[in-house]
Amino acid sequence: MELETRAVAVNEKGLIGIVRYKLSADEDEIILRTIEAGICGTDKDLAMGNLPQLKLPPGQDYLIIGHECKAEVYKAPPDSSFKEGDIVVPMVRRGCGICRLCKLGMPEYCESGEFKELGIIGVNGCFSEFFKDELSALIKVPKGVEDVAVLAEPLSGLEKAMDQILSFQRGRIPWRCDDGSMNCRKVLIIGTGPIAFLFAMLAKSNGFNNIYISNIRELRKDEIILVNTLDLKFYNSKDGYLQLYKEIGPFDLVFDTTGLPSVAAEVLQYMNYNSVLLLYGFPRKDDTGILRPKIMNEIVYKNLGIIGSVTGPKWGFEAALNHLASWKSQYPTVLDIFLKTKISFDEIPDYLKRPKFNEIKVIIDFNK
Amino acid sequence: MELETRAVAVNEKGLIGIVRYKLSADEDEIILRTIEAGICGTDKDLAMGNLPQLKLPPGQDYLIIGHECKAEVYKAPPDSSFKEGDIVVPMVRRGCGICRLCKLGMPEYCESGEFKELGIIGVNGCFSEFFKDELSALIKVPKGVEDVAVLAEPLSGLEKAMDQILSFQRGRIPWRCDDGSMNCRKVLIIGTGPIAFLFAMLAKSNGFNNIYISNIRELRKDEIILVNTLDLKFYNSKDGYLQLYKEIGPFDLVFDTTGLPSVAAEVLQYMNYNSVLLLYGFPRKDDTGILRPKIMNEIVYKNLGIIGSVTGPKWGFEAALNHLASWKSQYPTVLDIFLKTKISFDEIPDYLKRPKFNEIKVIIDFNK
Amino acid sequence: MELETRAVAVNEKGLIGIVRYKLSADEDEIILRTIEAGICGTDKDLAMGNLPQLKLPPGQDYLIIGHECKAEVYKAPPDSSFKEGDIVVPMVRRGCGICRLCKLGMPEYCESGEFKELGIIGVNGCFSEFFKDELSALIKVPKGVEDVAVLAEPLSGLEKAMDQILSFQRGRIPWRCDDGSMNCRKVLIIGTGPIAFLFAMLAKSNGFNNIYISNIRELRKDEIILVNTLDLKFYNSKDGYLQLYKEIGPFDLVFDTTGLPSVAAEVLQYMNYNSVLLLYGFPRKDDTGILRPKIMNEIVYKNLGIIGSVTGPKWGFEAALNHLASWKSQYPTVLDIFLKTKISFDEIPDYLKRPKFNEIKVIIDFNK
Amino acid sequence: MELETRAVAVNEKGLIGIVRYKLSADEDEIILRTIEAGICGTDKDLAMGNLPQLKLPPGQDYLIIGHECKAEVYKAPPDSSFKEGDIVVPMVRRGCGICRLCKLGMPEYCESGEFKELGIIGVNGCFSEFFKDELSALIKVPKGVEDVAVLAEPLSGLEKAMDQILSFQRGRIPWRCDDGSMNCRKVLIIGTGPIAFLFAMLAKSNGFNNIYISNIRELRKDEIILVNTLDLKFYNSKDGYLQLYKEIGPFDLVFDTTGLPSVAAEVLQYMNYNSVLLLYGFPRKDDTGILRPKIMNEIVYKNLGIIGSVTGPKWGFEAALNHLASWKSQYPTVLDIFLKTKISFDEIPDYLKRPKFNEIKVIIDFNK
């Protein structure tokens, strides 16, 4: 089968624009029709020519971007477990085929660094009307979650992050409180982007109830609705976190979405004994954090754990779809706000050039 | 405050019937109005005078039964975290107050055996129009899950069971398959009662896809719908499990709801290397399983794990409510079938006397 | 290089006797000279023609037995990490090369069942003056442990068993006592063979102090010394375990070396909440255990864990050598008793025919 | 009983010197006679008036220091598990009695910060000819380890650190290599003090074989012997770690004993995917580490874990005694070098004033 299709492409210098190309597939290959895709900071970095990790697919002089995808099976291989019309989301990280962890099906912990990533490193992504992919990288979306499945990808990496947090703590202390709940534990989330709010929901689904979310600016209208609906507390951190620490005491779990060294160095002073700082963000501006002896003392003396975590495993996508199904019932308003800004395929280049979004999330609607 | 209310009571000899009594509460106590309650096998055992664990509350000559509850806060203590109209589910197991695990908030692993259980051991239950309970035993039901929350209790114990399975395996082997999924693992569920189907959904939410459910009789109509909706496979085990083993190979996870020794002794022969048999059922008839040297050999030679698990922890209720919210989106038909048989309060005694239900689940609707 | 050597061989019918054969090795192969070897029950089973697992090496009409080995490198491949004179112990279990766990270096959890075992399944063993082996199966013995290294193999499997016990418990409860010790936990060991005493030492090294060891006969003189030196308590179980249970209360950890179904079925009645029964033995006589509903109830109601465990991983050999080094300092008398009965190569066939040993352990001294 | 005894005391300003005082004990109290004690950096900090954590015991105007102790029971309470002549080592960290972890017997993870520490925070230590202590804080030294037991305390904290490392990794990846060993993993130890060498031995006992130890100066004679005996590799880090990274590739486990922020910030650049940096040292000079975006990127992108760990649990002392027993057999030379510098009680003040020791370890011999 051969199809003519349009896609958004970049190269090392940044956005090329919309390209047309021919997609041809053998009988045993799958063709997917993109339904929705999310734009994330990485896409904007790619469009600006600012992502050193970028790799063009072998023999190609551009990369089609897009890694937060929801697609429909347009042509299924005859004897596969997929059939036309199935809704799927593709994984982002693809195993290197060399290291023992990738061979085990754990590319999220690839040891060689030779992994690929959909729409980022060596594999064309889904800002394309149609695309092809490996069968083993596709997760079927269960009925009833299809409308929100475009959020599975950004959530999948958070599932891995939370798993590392809980597993690390389980291995050393009983972290729950005397009443069996997590009510005595305080969570601080740094940032108010979509990742921050998705993590807040994930924390709630894991029993955390005292959740603070912070930004150095005041909240916008939609963000206020999210904070209220999710029963979070907002903290304006333009003067740092000392004031929050004085008010509520030390933090048990800090989740950072900014990647800023200065922020990490500051919050490490306000952590509780046996607490965890999860680093998830990549810094997007130059910034410096000063590690002083006092901070090193705190890390040791308080048994702190600092964990970096990146990308989502296959089980993370599965777990994400289950959590999204749960949040559809529990926080429909929240998912509505996440999904309400829908742009058309033709608008992508324009949006990629905007330095920042005021919307919680921008979704490309390929049917628009 | 004082209220006159009606309740279903038992003593050591079995069902007494509907009793009327005065419920009085101090200002700092909470009064709950039951909205829905589930009837479970334990209730029928109690009504038949067949549950040796039964303990009457101190100084009382009867016990009000009922432990699968959904209730509304009718009167809240002034400065509590509860307010009138909140929907709650109460935990069943209550800590002994003596052993280190109960002090830690882990009564689900009580070591002293001196724990209490709502509507079973020493604490009046919720087959009562109104009842009182300890604040620390109540879990607030999130918005959006209220309509299905009566299922939180039976699911809560399965959350603990699944946690033990996954944690045990995580500690010894990478159990996932080479594609990162659980597709290569085969689950066998023994029984087709509500616990069996709830476990099937929980297994699905944990990534298991090859799930066999079995009974020694053919399925009823509703059961067939559940099997189809959940994409399970049914196996008629009236001649034992050898045939299934021959067809699909050894089982990776067996979940037993029958408690029958003969069944456990048989399936242990058909387990895979490094597999787990989770025992969850209490036998309801006399039965004998013969352990032979060959079975002992299998357990050792194949690194089998056999785990018993009982009751649900507080986090299990929280996790259950999240899973129910997820299944509302994914399997609405299934939850409808679970909840469609609603009887009135006055019908409880009659239903308790029936030896078996043909319905998947019988729910008492206190508004009926 | 080519050597003429002598070895003890069996086939499916049992012991053949001492055979002479030519051992030839390429330049990149290693030749080992056996120094000491232990005789274990499996060897006697093989000599009696009673071990169904036996497999002859491909293209050979006999199998050289012996799997508890200590050997010296007689000829090392030029560029290997081994040099002549190094003391080594070989692993027993060899990966199938097919299943994911064997590829990961975890043949102790082989999933295919196609593994091989030194001197048992398809690989010639070390009851041979000289033998060849794969480099990756050899563990170098550190200086200072060489004299006791023949015990590494029987201990290696216990390391894996203990790891499963501790990891399973760590995943669910804080198992230590309120003073941070294991003093409140009671261990029962069933059997008084070498495995039983090695496990007792391992339990001591893991902090257990209340250790009961049992047999259906009175202890022999050497066993009494071991019990006293290790500060164990002996219990005569000829009338079962009820009396012990009445005296000391329920058991927290039971380690079985007999494999007898009747024993397992009995002892399951006397276990503590959240306790573990580790099955390690293979039954050597016909026996039956009756599983009754009451026992199934106990397993569920008390959150029991029953774990089967077989063979030793590479890390188990390493850990075993470390423990043996530790016990040399702490219990020299015990290791002396383990190692004092040394027979010559020529005596092996005679000893293999004896139905039972009165000695704690029989060691073949190849220098004798 | 009442005894006159001598001890080394400090207050907030630093060393007071040798004091005489009366020790009186009730019948149910234990009196210990110190046999050996180690001097550690903390003692020198206390003597310099440089340890802000210092707390005087209630109602006392000085603190007797000393926390690495080996003592003999001089007077035992009648019905205790101790008898006169028993050799014991006392734990350092004592529970706060308030927080849930201390109540559980886990003061090593005390959450309140209100813990005490022998010879440091509110509890008199063992640089005293005789002293009293709580029975629950004393660990009996097994026979055969008595001569090296003064090293149990410094090792006990490393046991906890290693446990956190291995448990964290076990929860997320199979960390062993394809041959089942740890041979593919590279360990870097920063520092060459006693803690560095004890950690090297502990790493060896846990199967690590590629161990690099580093300092910014060349090694002294004894250190060279230790490096050779333990088969370590020495790296001179006066120009940083880039050269080592270029030679051997990224590090899988880095263990820092310096606490220097500049070192931590540097080495984080050279870590492997999924590796762990364990921070154990307290900085003893002013120093600054610059966290740059690139380092934050590495932490996230490589799933790094950074873990702080302090003090030793009771099980850590037990494990330490077992490891010391093992090392007595394996590395007698090493323990000899650790223990060869013995000074008398009267020399303590003089040694406390020395800014640095050239000896690996200085031991006070109370019989001298």
Side-chain angles (χ1 to χ4, degrees), chain A residues 53 100 106 108-109 111 160 164 172 176 178 185 261 274 282 287 289 291 293 297 303-304 306 308 310, chain D residues 100 106 108-109 111 160 164 172 176 178 185 261 274 282 287 289 291 293 297 303-304 306 308 310:
Chain A
Q53 288 95 328
R100 68 194 250 105
M106 298 175 73
E108 70 273 16
Y109 288 108
E111 287 193 326
K160 175 189 168 192
Q164 284 190 84
R172 53 181 204 161
R176 297 198 153 262
D178 282 352
R185 303 297 173 199
N274 315 320
F282 294 107
D287 177 76
L291 274 186
N297 266 327
N303 299 304
L304 298 193
I306 305 169
V310 72
Chain D
R100 71 194 248 106
M106 299 176 72
E108 70 273 17
Y109 288 109
E111 287 193 327
K160 175 189 167 191
Q164 283 191 87
R172 54 182 203 161
R176 298 200 151 260
D178 281 354
R185 301 297 173 199
N274 315 322
F282 293 107
D287 178 78
L291 275 185
N297 266 328
N303 300 305
L304 298 193
I306 305 170
V310 70

Side-chain angles (χ1 to χ4, degrees), chain B residues 6-11 14-20 62-65 127 345 349 352-353:
Chain B
R6 293 187 306 154
V8 177
V10 304
N11 63 17
L15 185 66
I16 296 174
I18 292 180
V19 298
R20 280 172 191 279
Y62 61 81
L63 170 80
I64 300 170
I65 61 172
F127 287 178
F345 176 79
L352 286 173
K353 283 176 218 151

Side-chain angles (χ1 to χ4, degrees), chain B residues 224-299:
Chain B
I224 292 170
I225 299 173
L226 294 186
V227 162
N228 291 339
T229 310
L230 295 171
D231 203 17
L232 313 177
K233 283 145 240 163
F234 173 68
Y235 174 76
N236 186 315
S237 59
K238 70 174 190 301
D239 298 325
Y241 289 92
L242 178 60
Q243 191 55 40
L244 180 61
Y245 170 71
K246 282 186 180 164
E247 277 167 32
I248 68 166
F251 316 137
D252 291 286
L253 171 57
V254 178
F255 181 81
D256 174 66
T257 67
T258 68
L260 294 176
S262 59
V263 172
E266 196 208 353
V267 293
L268 279 168
Q269 302 171 82
Y270 309 134
M271 308 277 297
N272 200 359
Y273 287 92
N274 316 321
S275 60
V276 177
L277 167 60
L278 198 299
L279 298 176
Y280 197 78
F282 293 107
R284 291 219 154 71
K285 65 175 183 187
D286 203 29
D287 178 77
T288 301
I290 311 293
L291 276 185
R292 294 195 191 286
K294 190 181 169 305
I295 294 175
M296 298 293 286
N297 267 328
E298 289 286 292
I299 296 174

Side-chain angles (χ1 to χ4, degrees), chain C residues 78-89:
Chain C
D79 295 315
S80 74
S81 60
F82 294 95
K83 60 177 197 306
E84 276 134 44
D86 282 352
I87 304 299
V88 300
V89 290

